[in-house]
Amino acid sequence: VPSPLFQGGVLVTDQSPLLSSRAGCWASGPQDGQSSCQFFSDGRRKVDYVLVFYQRKQISVRGGDRLHRLSGGLGCVELEADPVEGEMVLIREEFEARLLEAGLEMERDTEVRDQPACVCSVCVCALCGCWSGVISGEIFNITSKDTFFDNATRSRIVSLSFRMFLSLCFSLTQYSLLHDEWARYGAFYKYQPVDLIRKYFGEKIGLYFAWLGVYTQLLIPASMVGIIVFCYGCYTVDMDVPSLEMCDKQQNFTMCPLCDGVCDYWHLSTACGTARASHLFDNPATVFFAIFMSLWVATFLEHWKRRQISLNHSWDLTGLEEEEDHPRPKYETVLLQKRQMMRNKEKKNEKKKKKKKIETGVEKLTWRDRLPGYLINISSILFMFGLTFSAVFGVIVYRIVVSALMAMSPDPETKSNVRVTVTATAVIINLVVILILDEIYGAVAVWLTELEIPRTESNFEQHLILKAFLLKFMNAYAPILYVAFFKGRFAGRPGDYVYVFNDYRMEECAPGGCLIELCIQLSIIMVGKQLIQNNVFEIGIPKLKKLIRAWKGKGISLEEREEQRARPPQQWNLDYTLVPFEGLTPEYMEMIIQFGFVSLFVASFPLAPLFALLNNVIEIRLDAKKFVTELRRPDAVQAKDIGIWYNILSGMGKFSVIINAFVISFTSDFIPRLVYQYMYSQTGTMHGFIDHTLSHFNVSNFRPGNAPTSSYLPETTVCRYKDYREPPWSAEAYQFSKTYWAVLAARLAFVILFQNLVMFLSLLVAWVIPDVPKNISEQLKREKTLLVDVFLREEKEKFHLLQSLFSSKDQPSQGHPDTAHFRTLPLGLSQGLGQPPGGEGGESRARCRAASFSQFTRQMSMSPSNNAGRQMSMSPSNDATRHTAV
């Protein structure tokens, strides 16, 4: 049924082996400079959706008394098709006939080589009571005839009609304005046109880019504070007493060998560079920065809630209710198989027929049906965790073995660079393993989610997000967690070391502590992952797929190639060559993992927000270019929020408080320095701190084979190692000293204090920042006030209209005038004014006249302005009093 309000279009085409390039389709078109490739042959009707049917050969199928014929290949040959293929053709024809009944206009596309196609134009009868199926005015928020449907809504209307039938469907790309204003690297300094993105891609994708913009914007102050903290470390490095003591050769701290047999004693002053580098990230400003970033997370979440509410209001989503999702095809298939199996059992056992009928009426799968999938999920996730830990352990073994081999080298330069070489190469190996396992875990998460047989697409998406996040979180952060909390804590002590495979000692932290190694690990993994996975993969993989498709296209004949050049390529053929849209989960996952690098371990790397900011400035334009030019235009989906991702962000924000508290307490030297300065230092300064942290070991207590076989310091009788243990001349030699327990108690106390302080401040920030912006709140109040005024005004006008009708058309009786007036009122109104039921002539007529008014009052009683109406009825005015009686 054609309507002047909306005239949209859908392209239905068979898969074509001849695919053109994108060039040449952006010439001026028939309407406002749009491309003619986006319109039907008449140049007026717009193509909104593309449907692709796969068909490989010409077939002739007899269905009933009709012959259904499709042409394919060269010439026209009638072939007997197999039953399955013939059934698909019949289903296709029936489906197209139903589209015609729903208001679609069909048009054959004759330009696709060897394959016929048809173009369908959707005609929706809006605002005239002709809404059918899922096309509803309540869903699409129709507000104006002039701008009736934007591109996203047009796509959504069409897709809801036939999405579940087709193997491939997509909207046509119309990207010129978005490309100029958004999807260019040269526009990096501009704000994103979020409203335009929403109108083109829909609310769900619009919210993603709005969230990414808010996150990137708030990274600016975090980056500035991080730079200040780093500069503070650089400025104070020459005034740091512990670093000066480590670099002082006169102190002459002789340290125990780093490996057994081949390693010699060494002087602590040779680790001067490591100590100075550690101070850049391990200083008092780091604690302040950790508290600041915890509050930054709370501010970011609150700011996003405000932004989200503002977008909901401006996009008319405040009254949007969640639509009921249709069951997934696989869910319906499994349910159908279950019913069929139960029917088969019913036929075999006629005695239990009634009972089986009741069971076959169940419309959903139970936990018993999903139990095998749940068991496979649990076992597979545990296996993946074991695989991640095995990869981390493999890198640990690599570090230990390579360190021992390099220590055996006769080259002095090689020996001096053991720690730097091993650390750098191990981190690169970790990065490669993380990138490989990330791709594997993404595919495994999809497979495991399919085994659960979720009922709807939203359930499927939530389960997939949780699995993918859990696996990728552990994969990305496991090596960092090892360095932060486990490395060097189980290595033992001289004379009682812990060994791997009975030959190799467990690795220890550097003399300056593990924080500098944690910083190196975090920076290389974070920057490398962003450069390789987030940028190179996103740019390179689509380009590689295009090259493969172009290489395959070279197999066409010369005549076909000339025919292709003779006519301009159609837009639907160009869009077919684009990469299918796979959802927003990969995009969100990249940013969530980056958010973890910024928030979880920021105490060890204050420059993390800066690197995240630089990456995101490029990421926004890269994603924009990918969505506009590299991907098929996705379906427009309505959404009020970012869904489960907000819960993940909130959980990571709370977890970051705990992680940073333990990093400061157990990984850095912040707490040991405080304990020494205020409990053990005789001058109240940091002088003597290095000597205080080093324990003594008598070299005669080495086990056989552990002492150096040859030494440049043969007169050494006592060597030092970093730990809080009793000296060899003590009655409890080599046991943990009282200082160890004092430092441990201080560390635990700091963790508790830090967590409670930051949690309290985060709650304070959330309380201070209102969720609803003030201008939105005031506007909502004004709208409610105007709504109440409109309802009251209409109610009063209707009452006066009824009163004038009753007084002018009904004859008063000879009794009391008030009684006569009551007689003219309908039954319900006369009872409201105290008149008993009954009446004379004209009562039925009056009742008919008042019917619409009584219906209006019933609707008003359900409206939000009912309370205001009752308050108005308390007014002493005569009109209000009569209205209350009515």
Side-chain angles (χ1 to χ4, degrees):
V1 185
S3 169
L5 293 177
F6 173 66
Q7 187 93 14
V10 182
L11 169 69
V12 182
T13 178
D14 298 289
Q15 181 183 9
S16 171
L18 181 60
L19 301 175
S20 307
S21 63
R22 175 176 286 275
C25 196
W26 299 113
S28 60
Q31 294 182 10
D32 300 331
Q34 300 182 64
S35 171
S36 60
C37 305
Q38 299 168 3
F39 291 85
F40 286 45
S41 58
D42 56 13
R44 294 183 295 103
R45 291 171 296 169
K46 185 178 179 181
V47 178
D48 292 299
Y49 223 78
V50 179
L51 315 181
V52 179
F53 293 93
Y54 293 96
Q55 178 184 319
R56 297 183 179 177
K57 65 179 181 180
Q58 174 197 354
I59 58 176
S60 175
V61 183
R62 295 188 179 273
D65 297 331
R66 295 168 46 196
L67 178 65
H68 305 273
R69 181 176 300 169
L70 295 172
S71 64
L74 298 176
C76 183
V77 183
E78 295 187 1
L79 302 174
E80 291 296 330
D82 61 272
V84 176
E85 194 167 350
E87 183 180 0
M88 291 303 299
V89 174
L90 294 176
I91 293 174
R92 168 179 173 174
E93 291 192 353
E94 180 182 359
F95 175 71
E96 292 179 357
R98 292 187 178 182
L99 290 180
L100 286 171
E101 294 176 1
L104 295 170
E105 297 177 358
M106 312 290 287
E107 181 182 80
R108 286 288 170 182
D109 174 25
T110 59
E111 294 188 3
V112 182
R113 183 181 68 105
D114 299 338
Q115 303 285 352
C118 58
V119 178
C120 312
S121 177
V122 178
C123 301
V124 181
C125 286
L127 303 178
C128 61
C130 297
W131 298 101
S132 62
V134 295
I135 302 178
S136 162
E138 294 179 356
I139 297 178
F140 300 107
N141 282 333
I142 298 169
T143 58
S144 172
K145 291 184 179 180
D146 299 329
T147 58
F148 200 71
F149 291 118
D150 55 29
N151 289 331
T153 304
R154 295 169 68 100
S155 173
R156 186 161 59 248
I157 292 176
V158 179
S159 65
L160 286 173
S161 303
F162 45 69
R163 179 66 180 173
M164 298 185 67
F165 175 82
L166 297 162
S167 56
L168 176 60
C169 47
F170 53 90
S171 302
L172 284 183
T173 303
Q174 308 158 30
Y175 70 83
S176 57
L177 182 59
L178 277 176
H179 182 271
D180 295 339
E181 297 295 329
W182 179 50
R184 293 186 305 109
Y185 294 109
F188 72 93
Y189 61 91
K190 296 182 179 180
Y191 284 103
Q192 297 185 90
V194 179
D195 291 332
L196 189 61
I197 297 170
R198 170 249 178 178
K199 289 181 180 180
Y200 186 74
F201 290 111
E203 287 78 8
K204 190 172 184 179
I205 294 179
L207 283 173
Y208 163 70
F209 283 103
W211 172 84
L212 183 57
V214 171
Y215 172 50
T216 304
Q217 184 180 9
L218 287 182
L219 280 174
I220 296 176
S223 302
M224 295 177 62
V225 176
I227 293 174
I228 293 173
V229 171
F230 179 76
C231 292
Y232 172 82
C234 296
Y235 178 74
T236 58
V237 66
D238 292 329
M239 297 178 286
D240 182 52
V241 175
S243 299
L244 295 176
E245 289 184 348
M246 287 187 65
C247 297
D248 188 4
K249 296 182 180 180
Q250 297 181 357
Q251 301 245 2
N252 197 22
F253 293 113
T254 302
M255 307 298 293
C256 296
L258 296 176
C259 62
D260 294 341
V262 296
C263 293
D264 196 3
Y265 304 108
W266 56 285
H267 292 297
L268 185 61
S269 58
T270 57
C272 176
T274 304
R276 292 174 62 86
S278 296
H279 179 75
L280 300 179
F281 307 100
D282 188 2
N283 54 70
T286 304
V287 180
F288 160 77
F289 189 61
I291 297 175
F292 170 82
M293 288 303 298
S294 299
L295 299 181
W296 176 87
V297 171
T299 305
F300 163 61
L301 295 176
E302 292 299 318
H303 187 66
W304 168 243
K305 285 196 292 186
R306 290 167 58 87
R307 175 64 170 159
Q308 187 172 261
I309 291 175
S310 299
L311 292 176
N312 285 339
H313 185 266
S314 62
W315 292 353
D316 294 331
L317 298 175
T318 52
L320 178 67
E321 296 181 358
E322 293 185 3
E323 303 173 19
E324 183 179 358
D325 289 344
H326 296 283
R328 300 179 69 244
K330 183 173 182 180
Y331 179 89
E332 293 283 9
T333 302
V334 175
L335 187 60
L336 183 62
Q337 292 173 353
K338 180 183 177 182
R339 291 172 182 167
Q340 187 64 35
M341 183 180 61
M342 298 181 72
R343 290 192 187 99
N344 295 336
K345 289 183 180 179
E346 179 183 342
K347 293 179 181 179
K348 294 180 180 179
N349 192 358
E350 294 293 337
K351 294 182 180 180
K352 299 181 179 179
K353 187 174 181 180
K354 294 183 179 180
K355 182 178 179 181
K356 292 296 180 181
K357 279 186 176 179
I358 295 175
E359 292 178 355
T360 54
V362 178
E363 296 296 329
K364 64 179 182 180
L365 299 178
T366 62
W367 64 269
R368 292 184 180 88
D369 302 315
R370 295 186 172 96
L371 183 60
Y374 289 152
L375 294 177
I376 295 176
N377 266 263
I378 295 173
S379 58
S380 299
I381 290 175
L382 293 177
F383 172 76
M384 295 300 167
F385 283 172
L387 181 62
T388 301
F389 295 146
S390 299
V392 174
F393 182 74
V395 176
I396 294 172
V397 173
Y398 163 81
R399 295 164 65 111
I400 294 172
V401 173
V402 172
S403 297
L405 293 177
M406 292 184 68
M408 297 177 186
S409 174
D411 186 8
E413 186 175 355
T414 302
K415 287 185 176 182
S416 62
N417 296 324
V418 168
R419 194 175 297 275
V420 175
T421 304
V422 171
T423 300
T425 55
V427 173
I428 294 175
I429 294 174
N430 271 325
L431 176 61
V432 174
V433 171
I434 288 172
L435 295 177
I436 294 174
L437 291 182
D438 247 6
E439 300 301 320
I440 296 175
Y441 289 166
V444 169
V446 175
W447 175 67
L448 292 178
T449 308
E450 290 285 359
L451 293 179
E452 289 187 2
I453 320 176
R455 183 177 180 273
T456 62
E457 286 295 337
S458 60
N459 292 339
F460 180 88
E461 186 179 19
Q462 288 184 2
H463 294 182
L464 174 62
I465 289 172
L466 287 176
K467 290 183 184 62
F469 171 73
L470 195 61
L471 293 174
K472 293 189 176 185
F473 178 91
M474 190 61 65
N475 179 45
Y477 302 131
I480 302 174
L481 290 171
Y482 163 74
V483 174
F485 303 121
F486 298 99
K487 183 178 180 181
R489 305 192 183 280
F490 306 100
R493 59 171 180 83
D496 190 21
Y497 285 114
V498 176
Y499 291 87
V500 178
F501 305 130
N502 297 322
D503 290 323
Y504 301 101
R505 276 169 44 181
M506 282 292 294
E507 58 181 346
E508 304 176 59
C509 291
C514 282
L515 193 68
I516 184 61
E517 296 187 36
L518 176 62
C519 176
I520 296 173
Q521 185 102 355
L522 178 63
S523 59
I524 293 179
I525 291 178
M526 177 183 177
V527 176
K529 195 172 186 297
Q530 290 181 162
L531 289 177
I532 298 175
Q533 189 176 47
N534 297 3
N535 294 323
V536 175
F537 282 6
E538 290 188 7
I539 297 175
I541 291 180
K543 297 292 184 185
L544 182 62
K545 290 181 178 180
K546 271 191 173 182
L547 289 176
I548 294 175
R549 286 195 295 268
W551 178 75
K552 289 182 179 179
K554 292 181 179 180
I556 63 177
S557 64
L558 182 61
E559 296 180 357
E560 294 168 348
R561 192 171 301 172
E562 292 295 333
E563 180 183 359
Q564 177 185 6
R565 294 175 181 174
R567 64 171 185 267
Q570 292 293 342
Q571 183 63 37
W572 43 84
N573 285 336
L574 300 179
D575 286 0
Y576 181 79
T577 64
L578 301 179
V579 180
F581 177 66
E582 298 180 354
L584 288 172
T585 300
E587 311 299 331
Y588 272 112
M589 193 65 69
E590 293 174 7
M591 294 296 103
I592 294 297
I593 296 299
Q594 183 203 86
F595 180 80
F597 286 127
V598 170
S599 60
L600 293 179
F601 303 96
V602 73
S604 62
F605 189 42
L607 296 180
L610 176 63
F611 286 102
L613 174 63
L614 297 176
N615 174 81
N616 288 5
V617 170
I618 301 174
E619 180 74 16
I620 290 177
R621 306 303 162 180
L622 178 64
D623 282 349
K625 190 175 182 63
K626 180 177 67 174
F627 270 79
V628 170
T629 63
E630 302 291 343
L631 298 179
R632 289 179 190 154
R633 183 177 171 187
D635 288 340
V637 180
Q638 281 188 320
K640 294 181 65 175
D641 49 44
I642 61 175
I644 195 174
W645 295 110
Y646 182 84
N647 298 330
I648 293 176
L649 287 169
S650 180
M652 292 184 69
K654 294 179 174 60
F655 189 54
S656 68
V657 177
I658 301 174
I659 293 294
N660 282 306
F662 277 93
V663 167
I664 295 172
S665 297
F666 289 89
T667 309
S668 74
D669 282 337
F670 178 74
I671 298 300
R673 292 185 182 189
L674 287 181
V675 171
Y676 173 77
Q677 185 174 0
Y678 293 103
M679 292 183 61
Y680 296 98
S681 176
Q682 297 180 355
T683 60
T685 63
M686 293 302 299
H687 291 284
F689 172 75
I690 297 298
D691 183 59
H692 178 76
T693 58
L694 298 178
S695 299
H696 297 76
F697 179 76
N698 192 333
V699 297
S700 61
N701 295 331
F702 273 123
R703 292 180 180 180
N706 289 356
T709 54
S710 61
S711 174
Y712 293 101
L713 302 171
E715 299 179 354
T716 302
T717 57
V718 175
C719 62
R720 310 292 294 272
Y721 61 99
K722 190 173 182 178
D723 206 345
Y724 293 105
R725 292 180 180 269
E726 297 290 343
W729 52 84
S730 172
E732 299 178 352
Y734 307 126
Q735 299 297 316
F736 288 119
S737 63
K738 294 180 179 179
T739 305
Y740 171 84
W741 299 110
V743 171
L744 179 61
R747 283 173 166 168
L748 295 176
F750 177 82
V751 169
I752 297 173
L753 178 63
F754 184 89
Q755 291 184 34
N756 285 276
L757 175 63
V758 173
M759 290 293 185
F760 170 75
L761 294 177
S762 300
L763 292 175
L764 184 62
V765 169
W767 177 75
V768 169
I769 302 176
D771 293 343
V772 182
K774 186 176 180 181
N775 60 331
I776 300 297
S777 178
E778 292 177 352
Q779 190 170 352
L780 291 175
K781 289 179 181 179
R782 287 196 300 268
E783 290 177 358
K784 290 181 180 180
T785 303
L786 292 175
L787 186 63
V788 170
D789 292 341
V790 169
F791 279 134
L792 290 178
R793 191 181 307 112
E794 291 184 357
E795 207 172 356
K796 189 174 180 180
E797 290 176 358
K798 286 177 180 283
F799 171 73
H800 285 301
L801 177 62
L802 288 173
Q803 190 178 31
S804 61
L805 289 174
F806 295 153
S807 61
S808 62
K809 292 187 178 183
D810 294 334
Q811 295 296 332
S813 63
Q814 297 179 359
H816 194 276
D818 291 339
T819 307
H821 177 68
F822 283 129
R823 225 178 252 124
T824 65
L825 294 177
L827 177 62
L829 297 178
S830 62
Q831 288 178 342
L833 292 172
Q835 175 70 6
E840 299 180 4
E843 179 182 344
S844 60
R845 183 172 68 253
R847 183 178 296 115
C848 292
R849 291 195 188 106
S852 61
F853 177 65
S854 61
Q855 183 180 3
F856 177 80
T857 55
R858 283 198 302 272
Q859 295 174 356
M860 284 297 300
S861 63
M862 301 173 61
S863 69
S865 61
N866 194 26
N867 293 332
R870 285 197 294 267
Q871 293 175 3
M872 290 293 293
S873 68
M874 298 298 291
S875 173
S877 66
N878 188 30
D879 292 337
T881 305
R882 291 182 182 177
H883 173 248
T884 304
V886 172

